[in-house]
């Protein structure tokens, strides 16, 4: 369960806040010891904010956001108090013993009791503190053991092909009652190699279906056995969805099940009035890209190092670098012509992308622009896949300083593979502000249609590790063109 709180700088809030943090940590997968450590870290940080961040205000407000993720829990604290540089407050154990000077001890305690701690200086927008704690997972093993016991009773592929005519498979929209069958289907098909590990947890699947966070299709045999599953994950900040989960049991493959599910899924997207759907197709092989393009999807972007290096079932050797993906997009229903403001460097390629999507746009060069008083910049860090996404929602006069400070903070995190940056193409300030961004080491990624607030964005990327682009396969001709542009920039910059 995700929660966002607005907190007063009143010491009386500490007790109730610690109680809530501890209970929330327990209910979202931490052990008692982990929850205690995490609560102490949050308490230390919040205490410092209350006592020191607002010295000239008797009372102020700051925000705490609690996020429950698959493999960890994360707490983000945002405040706009006095400037602060953690590097100038290092704990010195010798001075603590000799002089009783414990400066920096609080930050050291926070780092010790968190698995990841990140400080982001956002200039005039204030500061963000990201604290995360890894979960101790047990029920995956229990589910796998249960699946092992049931697996031998399944019919053999040869018998299935003879016994079940293709037309006798049924296709229905997924409901919460299908959750356990989906989890078992994932394990029986992929073992323990499927990248989206929440699909090994029936309760997690059930929660997303109850909350209508995903729309899906399940295919069953005449006897009710789950044969396939395909789902769209709805974005929280725009009316589009990601075709992000797909599986067909090996016993039922080459029966047209995946194609039928895709057809049903597109119809579900239409009936739910989604503006579009997209897929992130891996580039270590062209199979998933071929499926997407068969149904009218068009490649709009290539994201390097999108997920951590994992071993894919069916491949003899581990892929030698983080997994890159292409974004394949399918508009749903008619689209109206929109005015866009394109950086001259990528104008031709972006217009070609719109043409591929059959979306009518009117490119315009702004004569003059007026910046907002304050930038609106959103930061999302994925510690599991070692990546960050910065979304520019509004440009202010402080844009350069805020973005520069954020990048400096992220650059200091030695384990990040890539930083993505989304610039709004329907904002007339983008062409001018792109000139600022270009000098910061970002290269092209592509078009992200309707990705935030029903608006189009230019996605850029900043690689923090070396990549071998020869290992990346783009299936479509246009996808190869996008890859070529990225390759030219990448090799020029490195």
């Amino acid at each position: 369960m995700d929660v966002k709180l607005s907190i007063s700088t009143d010491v009386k809030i500490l007790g109730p806040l610690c109680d809530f943090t501890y209970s929330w940590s327990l209910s979202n997968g931490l052990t008692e010891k982990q929850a205690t450590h995490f609560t102490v870290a949050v308490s230390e940080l919040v205490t410092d904010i209350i006592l020191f961040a607002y010295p000239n205000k008797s009372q102020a407000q700051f925000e705490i956001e609690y996020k429950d993720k698959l493999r960890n829990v994360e707490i983000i604290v945002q405040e706009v108090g006095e400037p602060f540089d953690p590097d100038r407050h290092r704990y010195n154990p010798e001075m603590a013993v000799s002089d009783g000077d414990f400066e920096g001890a609080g930050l050291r305690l926070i780092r010790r009791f968190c698995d990841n701690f990140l400080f982001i200086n956002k200039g005039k927008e204030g500061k963000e503190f990201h604290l995360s704690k890894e979960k101790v997972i047990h029920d995956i093993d229990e589910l796998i053991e249960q699946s092992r016991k049931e697996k031998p009773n399944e019919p053999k592929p040869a018998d299935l092909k003879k016994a079940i005519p293709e037309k006798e498979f049924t296709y229905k929209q997924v409901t919460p009652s299908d959750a356990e069958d989906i989890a078992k289907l994932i394990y029986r098909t992929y073992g323990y190699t499927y990248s989206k590990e929440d699909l090994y947890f029936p309760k997690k699947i059930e929660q997303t279906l109850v909350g209508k966070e995903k729309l899906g299709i399940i295919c069953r045999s005449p006897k009710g056995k789950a044969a396939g599953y395909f789902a769209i994950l709805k974005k929280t900040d725009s009316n589009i969805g990601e075709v992000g989960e797909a599986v067909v049991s090996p016993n039922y493959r080459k029966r047209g099940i995946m194609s039928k599910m895709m057809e049903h899924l597109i119809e579900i997207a239409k009936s739910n009035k989604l503006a579009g759907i997209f897929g992130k197709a891996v580039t270590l092989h062209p199979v998933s890209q071929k499926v997407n393009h068969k149904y009218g999807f068009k490649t709009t972007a290539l994201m390097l190092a999108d997920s951590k290096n994992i071993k894919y079932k069916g491949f003899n050797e581990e892929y030698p670098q983080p997994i890159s993906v292409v974004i394949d997009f399918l508009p749903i229903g008619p689209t109206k012509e929109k005015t866009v403001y394109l950086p001259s460097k990528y104008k031709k390629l972006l217009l070609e992308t719109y043409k591929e999507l059959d979306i009518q746009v009117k490119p315009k060069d702004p004569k003059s622009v007026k910046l907002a008083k304050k930038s609106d910049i959103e930061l999302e860090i994925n510690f599991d896949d070692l990546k960050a996404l910065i979304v520019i929602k509004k440009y202010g006069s402080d844009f350069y300083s805020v973005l520069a400070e954020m990048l400096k903070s992220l650059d200091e995190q030695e384990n990040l593979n890539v930083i993505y940056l989304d610039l709004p193409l329907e904002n007339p300030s983008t062409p001018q502000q792109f000139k600022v961004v270009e000098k910061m080491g970002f290269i092209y990624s592509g078009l992200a249609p309707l990705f935030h607030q029903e608006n189009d964005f230019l996605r850029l990327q900043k690689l923090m590790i070396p990549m071998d682009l020869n290992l990346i396969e783009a299936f479509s001709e246009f996808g190869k063109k996008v890859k070529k542009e990225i390759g030219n920039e990448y090799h020029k910059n490195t």
Side-chain angles (χ1 to χ4, degrees):
M1 179 182 67
D2 293 354
V3 180
K4 192 168 186 177
L5 305 175
S6 182
I7 304 296
S8 170
T9 53
D10 186 337
V11 292
K12 294 179 181 178
I13 199 67
L14 278 173
L17 183 66
C18 289
D19 291 341
F20 173 79
T21 301
Y22 180 76
S23 299
W24 179 88
S25 298
L26 284 178
S27 64
N28 286 285
L30 296 190
T31 65
E32 291 184 2
K33 182 178 180 180
Q34 286 179 311
T36 299
H37 285 179
F38 206 39
T39 301
V40 170
V42 173
S43 173
E44 184 66 34
L45 177 59
V46 170
T47 300
D48 285 348
I49 291 173
I50 290 175
L51 295 179
F52 305 118
Y54 300 90
N56 298 321
K57 292 185 179 180
S58 58
Q59 200 157 43
Q61 298 286 125
F62 62 98
E63 293 185 340
I64 303 182
E65 189 171 2
Y66 295 76
K67 291 188 174 184
D68 175 30
K69 298 185 177 181
L70 172 61
R71 283 166 283 189
N72 61 33
V73 291
E74 182 179 5
I75 293 179
I76 302 173
V77 182
Q78 304 175 62
E79 50 96 342
V80 288
E82 282 194 342
F84 168 72
D85 183 358
D87 290 335
R88 295 185 177 275
H89 299 273
R90 297 283 185 181
Y91 174 66
N92 188 322
E94 294 179 358
M95 291 184 65
V97 173
S98 62
D99 304 333
D101 183 356
F102 291 91
E103 183 176 12
L107 284 173
R108 182 169 182 172
L109 178 67
I110 294 169
R111 287 190 171 95
R112 183 68 61 88
F113 281 178
C114 296
D115 292 315
N116 289 287
F117 174 69
L118 180 62
F119 167 75
I120 303 292
N121 189 338
K122 300 175 71 175
K124 292 181 180 179
E125 283 199 7
K127 300 172 285 297
E128 281 187 4
F129 302 86
H130 293 245
L131 301 79
S132 76
K133 194 79 174 172
E134 302 294 323
K135 298 178 182 179
V136 175
I137 297 174
H138 298 292
D139 44 340
I140 281 184
D141 297 326
E142 295 170 9
L143 177 59
I144 288 176
E145 182 59 33
Q146 181 183 9
S147 296
R148 282 200 187 105
K149 292 177 181 178
E150 297 180 5
K151 190 174 181 181
N153 297 325
E154 293 182 349
K156 296 178 180 180
D159 296 333
L160 287 166
K161 289 185 178 180
K162 293 177 183 177
I164 306 174
E166 184 179 331
K167 63 182 180 181
E168 293 188 19
F169 287 98
T170 59
Y171 299 86
K172 292 184 179 179
Q173 188 163 344
V174 172
T175 65
S177 62
D178 297 313
E180 185 175 348
D181 283 347
I182 292 170
K184 291 178 180 178
L185 179 62
I186 291 292
Y187 173 70
R188 290 168 180 169
T189 304
Y190 292 102
Y192 197 24
T193 67
Y194 198 73
S195 59
K196 298 199 173 181
E197 293 177 12
D198 57 334
L199 291 180
Y200 292 94
F201 296 86
K203 290 264 182 219
K204 288 277 187 184
I205 300 171
E206 189 175 332
Q207 289 171 3
T208 57
L209 292 170
V210 170
K212 296 183 179 179
E213 297 170 29
K214 67 174 71 174
L215 305 167
I217 284 289
I218 189 166
C219 170
R220 293 186 179 275
S221 70
K223 292 185 178 181
K225 292 283 186 182
Y229 162 73
F230 212 165
I232 295 171
L233 313 178
K234 295 169 69 177
K235 279 182 67 70
T236 57
D237 64 344
S238 200
N239 187 34
I240 61 174
E242 178 184 359
V243 182
E245 298 171 353
V247 60
V248 174
S249 169
N251 293 338
Y252 300 100
R253 285 179 182 168
K254 298 183 179 179
R255 312 292 296 277
I257 290 175
M258 184 66 77
S259 296
K260 287 284 186 183
M261 289 195 298
M262 176 66 91
E263 291 171 7
H264 283 283
L265 212 53
I266 292 173
E267 290 305 313
I268 287 177
K270 290 179 180 178
S271 64
N272 280 270
K273 294 181 169 46
L274 294 184
I277 54 178
F278 70 96
K280 288 184 177 180
V282 296
T283 59
L284 71 168
H285 59 74
V287 177
S288 53
Q289 297 177 57
K290 287 181 180 178
V291 172
N292 289 342
H293 283 260
K294 178 181 177 181
Y295 290 94
F297 288 76
K298 302 295 182 181
T299 296
T300 67
L302 167 58
M303 298 171 59
L304 302 176
D306 177 67
S307 65
K308 66 182 180 182
N309 183 3
I310 59 175
K311 186 172 183 178
Y312 275 71
K313 192 171 183 179
F315 287 82
N316 295 327
E317 297 180 1
E318 187 172 301
Y319 193 65
Q321 61 185 15
I323 306 298
S324 300
V325 299
V326 295
I327 295 177
D328 290 330
F329 191 86
L330 176 67
I332 301 292
T335 57
K336 296 181 181 179
E337 183 182 66
K338 62 180 73 176
T339 299
V340 291
Y341 303 88
L342 310 176
S344 57
K345 182 176 181 178
Y346 301 131
K347 186 174 184 178
K348 181 180 178 182
L349 189 53
L350 287 169
L351 289 176
E352 288 182 35
T353 309
Y354 278 116
K355 187 176 180 181
E356 284 281 311
L357 294 168
D358 197 24
I359 294 177
Q360 302 298 315
V361 295
K362 182 180 179 182
K364 193 173 181 181
D365 297 321
K367 295 181 180 179
S368 61
V369 294
K370 185 177 181 180
L371 298 176
K373 292 182 179 179
K374 185 179 178 182
S375 298
D376 185 358
I377 303 177
E378 185 177 283
L379 170 65
E380 181 179 330
I381 301 172
N382 187 322
F383 290 110
D384 293 326
D385 286 325
L386 307 179
K387 63 184 180 182
L389 170 64
I390 300 172
V391 181
I392 309 302
K393 295 185 174 180
K394 189 186 296 182
Y395 297 103
S397 56
D398 60 348
F399 173 66
Y400 173 78
S401 61
V402 172
L403 183 59
E405 287 293 341
M406 291 178 71
L407 290 176
K408 180 182 176 184
S409 299
L410 291 171
D411 282 343
E412 292 170 355
Q413 306 306 304
E414 297 178 1
N415 59 343
L416 282 183
N417 290 338
V418 63
I419 302 171
Y420 301 112
L421 175 65
D422 285 359
L423 303 181
L425 290 176
E426 294 168 67
N427 187 316
S429 298
T430 289
Q432 184 64 35
Q433 298 305 319
F434 170 77
K435 296 176 182 178
V436 171
V437 172
E438 189 178 14
K439 298 175 183 178
M440 295 179 170
F442 285 93
I443 63 174
Y444 191 73
S445 176
L447 177 66
L450 304 173
F451 263 48
H452 312 287
Q453 301 170 324
E454 280 70 59
N455 289 327
D456 298 343
F457 283 74
L458 165 63
R459 177 156 291 182
L460 303 172
Q461 52 194 339
K462 180 181 175 72
L463 273 296
M464 316 297 282
I465 57 169
M467 292 285 290
D468 184 354
L469 272 62
N470 292 321
L471 298 176
I472 293 173
E473 283 195 61
F475 167 69
S476 70
E477 290 305 312
F478 189 71
K480 292 174 183 176
K481 181 177 284 192
V482 172
K483 177 189 170 183
K484 183 178 180 180
E485 169 66 32
I486 292 170
N488 290 339
E489 281 195 80
Y490 175 75
H491 293 302
K492 182 180 179 181
N493 283 359
T494 56

